Amino acid sequence: MKILVLGSGAREHAIILALLSEEAGHEILAAPGNAGIANDATIVELDANDPAAVTSFALSDNIGLVVIGPEAPLVAGVADALRERGIPVFGPGKAAAQLEGSKAFAKRIMESAGVPTGRAVRAHTRAEVEAALDELGAPHVVKADGLAAGKGVIVTEDRAAALAHADTYLPSGSVLVEEFLAGPEVSLFFLSDGDRVLPLSPAQDFKRLGDGDSGPNTGGMGAYSPLPWLLERFGGEDAFVDLVTRDIAEPVIRQLDAEGTPFIGLLYAGLILTEAGVKVIEFNARFGDPETQVVLPRLVDPLSALLLSAASGHLEDHARPAFADAVAVTVVLASEGYPSSPVTGRALTGLDAAAGVDGVHVAHAATAAADSGDGLVATGGRVLNVVGVGTTFAEARSRTYSALEHIGLEGGQFRTDIAARVVES
């Protein structure tokens, strides 16, 4: 099958690597891709956020499936344009993608569907923000209502910092001031064909920049899967997944369908395990990054068949996807200055040696060929994902960090404690 993957990050690279692992002879194209993706797929000069351009290309090039990786093309309506022309596309339409594009929309859907989540106040002015902060108390949680590349959220005890964060986003629209929820966080993906959902395996990601969950919020600095500690509280991963499927994913998909905005694609549930039960922190309308990088390497079923069935409305043809009894750990290598002002253009070295470590592969997030034509340079904040797979957490984690030692990036930074706690326990 000829598959077009839209996006340029490590998430898209992970999707492409999973499709290629099937050894089914797929022809994979990517737009816009990056230097690492270019080694595994044909790069297409195409504006991934332009519905007309993507549709025209898909028709002229006989694309059998379009997979939309990031959120921007979804909110731009790329999936709608493709569906109107009968092209199978894995990704929700513009209306359903508001589940990620608007935090206020997501809260309304959850309320209508009876899905557990924290209280929230939508604020349009600084005065409304101040009143909401006083009402809900500290720690303060303030979120940009629209897309913010994973950096629109602040959680802080400092009221002044919360107000300053709101001031950053109020000129562009409203913000949500939310109730603080305490507990471990879990990411769980669901494939949806608009009517039915199939869960993947849960993962845990690390949003803070520094070890011990210190520093500013980021798009994600690492992740691991599976989550063995779910056994103690829920009796196992399957029982947890069943609960979330029944109480969260299925009601949300039914509500969206009832409102005439069926959700076809990847429903990402960002969850928190509070003392009062599992609650939703947020929904995303696409594969999460960096969780995708540890979930897909463990997937046993062919990814292409699952995505095509979801896009075509036939997930009833599939049982719950199976996952290997293996562990995956990923660590993000970021540029100096990330997330506020990343330094780009610096050379990357040692990638071949890193990829040569047993059980390791490297997913590229922001890389390009150097102007000299010799080697690669970093082009963004999160540059690479080093992914280690093993039979135990200790083995997978050791492989990941051993590979990182081979990679050179001036000023590069990464967390040293990804999955450390689960290894210790």
Side-chain angles (χ1 to χ4, degrees):
M1 180 166 49
K2 206 170 189 179
I3 304 173
L4 172 63
V5 178
L6 301 182
S8 63
R11 163 186 47 225
E12 290 75 37
H13 200 180
I15 292 169
I16 289 168
L17 291 173
L19 292 169
L20 292 173
S21 71
E22 298 173 14
E23 298 182 358
H26 297 308
E27 182 180 351
I28 312 296
L29 297 84
N34 59 44
I37 290 174
N39 290 327
D40 298 302
T42 302
I43 300 299
V44 177
E45 295 295 329
L46 182 66
D47 182 355
N49 298 328
D50 185 333
V54 173
T55 302
S56 176
F57 176 82
L59 287 169
S60 64
D61 224 56
N62 296 315
I63 300 297
L65 174 66
V66 178
V67 180
I68 300 178
E71 59 272 25
L74 297 172
V75 175
V78 171
D80 300 282
L82 290 164
R83 286 197 180 94
E84 287 173 3
R85 299 304 298 271
I87 301 165
V89 52
F90 185 79
K94 184 176 182 178
Q98 287 302 297
L99 200 63
E100 175 171 3
S102 169
K103 302 295 189 296
F105 176 85
K107 285 290 185 181
R108 182 186 68 76
I109 291 293
M110 283 187 271
E111 181 179 351
S112 299
V115 168
T117 187
R119 291 186 298 149
V121 176
R122 188 176 186 180
H124 298 82
T125 66
R126 197 174 202 269
E128 291 177 351
V129 172
E130 290 176 338
L133 292 174
D134 293 339
E135 176 187 347
L136 296 176
H140 304 295
V141 182
V142 180
K143 296 181 179 180
D145 186 31
L147 299 177
K151 295 181 283 291
V153 181
I154 189 171
V155 180
T156 179
E157 294 276 358
D158 187 340
R159 190 173 187 275
L163 284 170
H165 186 78
D167 289 339
T168 300
Y169 293 100
L170 282 172
S172 302
S174 60
V175 299
L176 259 66
V177 181
E178 297 192 2
E179 171 191 10
F180 174 75
L181 300 174
E185 296 183 20
V186 176
S187 301
L188 184 55
F189 301 161
F190 295 88
L191 307 171
S192 173
D193 63 4
D195 296 307
R196 188 168 184 235
V197 297
L198 288 178
L200 300 185
S201 182
Q204 185 169 64
D205 76 329
F206 296 75
K207 291 294 187 186
R208 297 286 185 173
L209 179 67
D211 287 357
D213 292 328
S214 62
N217 224 38
T218 73
M221 294 300 292
Y224 67 84
S225 180
L227 308 184
W229 46 268
L230 289 173
L231 176 64
E232 180 178 350
R233 182 161 178 179
F234 296 93
E237 187 172 290
D238 287 347
F240 171 79
V241 170
D242 287 343
L243 181 150
V244 177
T245 302
R246 181 190 67 241
D247 294 349
I248 293 173
E250 289 179 343
V252 164
I253 294 302
R254 285 196 300 266
Q255 183 64 34
L256 288 168
D257 191 35
E259 295 192 8
T261 55
F263 190 101
I264 301 168
L266 196 290
L267 176 66
Y268 169 126
L271 309 166
I272 187 161
L273 281 50
T274 74
E275 291 184 357
V278 180
K279 296 189 178 184
V280 177
I281 301 173
E282 65 175 357
F283 285 120
N284 290 331
R286 38 70 190 179
F287 278 104
D289 185 349
E291 298 97 325
T292 300
Q293 289 86 298
V294 292
V295 171
L296 292 188
R298 300 181 51 241
L299 179 65
V300 173
D301 299 71
L303 179 63
S304 61
L306 290 167
L307 301 186
L308 183 59
S309 291
S312 306
H314 294 295
L315 277 182
E316 72 275 4
D317 297 338
H318 295 271
R320 178 184 293 190
F323 287 83
D325 186 19
V327 171
V329 174
T330 187
V331 176
V332 172
L333 174 64
S335 295
E336 181 181 357
Y338 177 75
S340 59
S341 52
V343 178
T344 61
R346 288 176 172 170
L348 285 159
T349 61
L351 298 186
D352 289 341
V357 174
D358 188 35
V360 166
H361 66 270
V362 178
H364 290 236
T367 62
D371 290 339
S372 64
D374 183 21
L376 302 180
V377 296
T379 61
R382 291 188 295 170
V383 181
L384 300 168
N385 274 219
V386 179
V387 184
V389 179
T391 57
T392 66
F393 275 94
E395 183 177 58
R397 189 172 185 274
S398 174
R399 288 174 170 177
T400 301
Y401 280 106
S402 293
L404 268 166
E405 292 178 0
H406 292 288
I407 300 175
L409 173 64
E410 182 186 350
Q413 53 182 326
F414 59 87
R415 285 184 60 158
T416 65
D417 63 345
I418 303 300
R421 187 174 300 174
V422 71
V423 170
E424 294 168 359
S425 62

